[in-house]
Amino acid sequence: MIVTRFAPSPTGNLHVGNLRTALHNWMWTKKHGGRFLLRIDDTDGERSEERYVAAIRADLAWLGLVPDGEERQSARFALYEARFAELVASGRVYPAYETPQELDLKRKIQLGRGLPPIYDRAALALTDEARAKLEADGVRPHWRFRLSADPIQWDDLIRGAQRFDPATISDPVVRRADGSWLYLLPSVIDDIDMGITHVVRGEDHVSNTAAQVQMFEALGAAPPAFAHEALLTGSEGKLSKRLGSLGVAHFRDEGIEPQAIVSLLARIGTSDPVEPVVDPAPLIAAFDFAHFGRAPARFDEAELAGVNAKVIHQLPFDAVASRTPAGMTAGGWDAIRPNLERVAEAGDWWSVVEGPIASETTEDDRAFLAQAAAVARELDWSADPWHALTAALKTATERKGKALFLPLRRALTGRDHGPDMTALLPLIGRDRAVARLDDAAG
Ligand code: GLU
């Protein structure tokens, strides 16, 4: 059974990079019929806010990524305490007493000597007396995880074989002097406790993974599989600040449909082409970490807008009915849909159907339009009135092509282009069509 988790910290709104990670976790789980968990990483009580928890839930729901369960780290401190105590007892976690200033000075000295700024483990070398003295002086330790010297390796589902020499990494701090938790250890404790089989996250976490692989082992668990995806870049090709502020609120304002986000984010950065779909089933079926590339995935808002239009052209009326103008019918939606880039534009085209419209006629077209009104009045409106109208006028006037169609379109819709007249004219109906042609004929 596959179990994944999406683990945001509720310290802000989800941005497009987060949405992509959530989506991939969800898709992988759906593909295998597993469980997708939302884990709220709220150990930082000061920066975490309830409104962001609510926003995270709402954003996932909007995208259709419904979690099979939700957990909150703030409700799990007792477990962290217990597992932490085990690691302290086994010597894998140790107290360290340096102040930030002392650590900073050490780093500067190392860098000055051309050495990598790796923690020197001075805390491990403290004698019992020295430690007792620090404690007596009221110095509260922070806590570090002691990395073992064994090489760290894992087969990343995206990056392939990964190898780290622990000697190149500082023993990570897992708990602050005030007792609060850093992200690394609670995450591992939770991944074990929740039976997480796959950790899917951004490649900015690769060095965390190196340390976490050893934490899993120190806690007696086999590490899960890891998939670290290349980060998103903006259309200009650079890691952009703007991406960090693009989230669901922005996309909704822009008239972007959730299916467009899903379609695009499922595929960018992979070898599979972007396919605009309403139902993600084919994307899920084809989802494969082996198709992900190592190069950054390019997120382009113009591409998203294009995908969005193609999604809208497939959306059935019942999916959009609540957002379309009153009185609009499924037939109306089907006629207008191919012309939309946003659902909100449906109202504009519907007003063309219902009128009133304003049209301008050139002198040359007046007689022609008067003739059109006369033909329209007599037409059998039940079949294909546009075809019947234009065929009759073509024979009667010898007009063809643009000279035939454009004055009619202008007179009937007030515009030079728009939805297919074959679909639109039956919606406009005989009475309105005749009146508009009469008006235009002047
Ligand atoms: N809370 C962490 C983050 O938002 C979770 C990372 C992870 O998936 O383990 O970066």
Side-chain angles (χ1 to χ4, degrees):
M1 166 88 148
I2 301 271
V3 188
T4 62
R5 83 295 193 282
F6 172 54
S9 301
T11 53
N13 286 312
L14 299 179
H15 56 69
V16 58
N18 305 135
L19 300 178
R20 177 168 172 254
T21 302
L23 175 67
H24 295 159
N25 274 288
W26 179 81
M27 290 176 81
W28 180 246
T29 315
K30 288 290 146 195
K31 177 165 178 165
H32 296 284
R35 275 168 62 74
F36 165 66
L37 304 179
L38 171 60
R39 190 184 81 200
I40 303 292
D41 280 5
D42 58 350
T43 54
D44 184 342
E46 270 180 22
R47 291 178 57 233
S48 298
E49 290 184 42
E50 215 42 48
R51 65 186 167 121
Y52 293 127
V53 176
I56 288 165
R57 289 189 195 117
D59 287 357
L60 293 182
W62 185 72
L63 284 173
L65 314 183
V66 182
D68 300 304
E70 181 181 314
E71 301 282 354
R72 292 183 75 135
Q73 290 199 316
S74 57
R76 301 171 57 80
F77 288 136
L79 177 67
Y80 307 152
E81 226 31 274
R83 303 245 54 192
F84 174 79
E86 287 172 39
L87 292 173
V88 172
S90 64
R92 289 307 295 273
V93 165
Y94 61 91
Y97 297 84
E98 294 91 347
T99 62
Q101 294 75 7
E102 284 168 330
L103 290 172
D104 201 42
L105 186 61
K106 284 187 193 212
R107 273 193 291 268
K108 283 193 178 130
I109 293 170
Q110 285 167 315
L111 288 170
R113 291 185 187 148
L115 298 170
I118 294 165
Y119 177 60
D120 61 7
R121 293 185 163 165
L124 279 176
L126 287 175
T127 61
D128 287 347
E129 295 80 60
R131 196 175 302 113
K133 162 118 183 30
L134 286 161
E135 298 272 350
D137 288 348
V139 183
R140 309 238 349 242
H142 55 277
W143 300 83
R144 288 186 185 263
F145 178 77
R146 186 169 56 77
L147 292 166
S148 86
D150 307 332
I152 300 167
Q153 44 201 5
W154 74 91
D155 274 322
D156 197 281
L157 294 173
I158 293 173
R159 299 167 61 86
Q162 302 290 296
R163 217 183 142 84
F164 279 80
D165 176 359
T168 63
I169 312 173
S170 293
D171 286 343
V173 177
V174 292
R175 201 169 186 183
R176 299 184 190 88
D178 66 2
S180 65
W181 300 98
L182 284 104
Y183 144 80
L184 283 175
L185 185 58
S187 180
V188 170
I189 294 170
D190 282 344
D191 287 341
I192 296 171
D193 190 57
M194 295 168 194
I196 302 299
T197 59
H198 293 75
V199 168
V200 181
R201 58 190 179 189
E203 67 181 9
D204 50 333
H205 280 289
V206 166
S207 57
N208 287 336
T209 302
Q212 286 179 321
V213 164
Q214 286 208 356
M215 292 179 190
F216 280 99
E217 285 156 0
L219 288 165
F226 290 98
H228 289 94
E229 32 190 41
L231 301 182
L232 280 188
T233 63
S235 48
E236 66 285 3
K238 289 186 304 227
L239 273 176
S240 94
K241 263 214 171 113
R242 173 159 171 75
L243 285 185
S245 64
L246 292 186
V248 165
H250 167 80
F251 295 130
R252 291 182 79 145
D253 282 353
E254 292 291 308
I256 301 293
E257 302 298 313
Q259 294 93 336
I261 310 259
V262 167
S263 298
L264 186 71
L265 295 183
R267 289 286 172 84
I268 51 172
T270 77
S271 54
D272 300 318
V274 173
E275 269 180 72
V277 291
V278 166
D279 176 352
L283 304 180
I284 292 168
F287 185 82
D288 190 340
F289 288 116
H291 298 178
F292 282 68
R294 297 277 307 263
R298 200 164 149 278
F299 176 80
D300 183 348
E301 278 194 271
E303 185 177 15
L304 178 62
V307 171
N308 192 52
K310 290 189 178 125
V311 161
I312 289 171
H313 303 166
Q314 301 169 53
L315 281 174
F317 181 58
D318 56 8
V320 295
S322 64
R323 293 186 286 147
T324 54
M328 186 154 192
T329 56
W333 170 251
D334 288 349
I336 284 169
R337 168 175 88 160
N339 275 71
L340 304 181
E341 288 180 1
R342 299 184 175 129
V343 171
E345 295 160 3
D348 183 39
W349 284 113
W350 194 242
S351 71
V352 167
V353 169
E354 300 215 306
I357 59 147
S359 64
E360 279 170 33
T361 314
T362 57
E363 245 356 274
D364 295 351
D365 289 329
R366 288 197 194 281
F368 169 65
L369 291 169
Q371 209 171 347
V375 174
R377 213 170 254 115
E378 303 307 322
L379 273 188
D380 169 10
W381 213 262
S382 65
D384 177 354
W386 177 248
H387 184 248
L389 176 68
T390 52
L393 287 168
K394 190 173 180 181
T395 314
T397 67
E398 292 187 346
R399 284 195 185 220
K400 57 183 184 201
K402 204 173 159 192
L404 174 67
F405 298 119
L406 188 58
L408 291 173
R409 178 181 279 282
R410 278 194 186 137
L412 289 164
T413 69
R415 304 187 185 190
D416 284 357
H417 30 75
D420 183 5
M421 289 301 297
T422 313
L424 209 53
L425 192 54
L427 298 169
I428 294 171
R430 186 204 308 265
D431 293 349
R432 283 188 295 228
V434 169
R436 289 177 194 185
L437 291 167
D438 277 340
D439 266 2

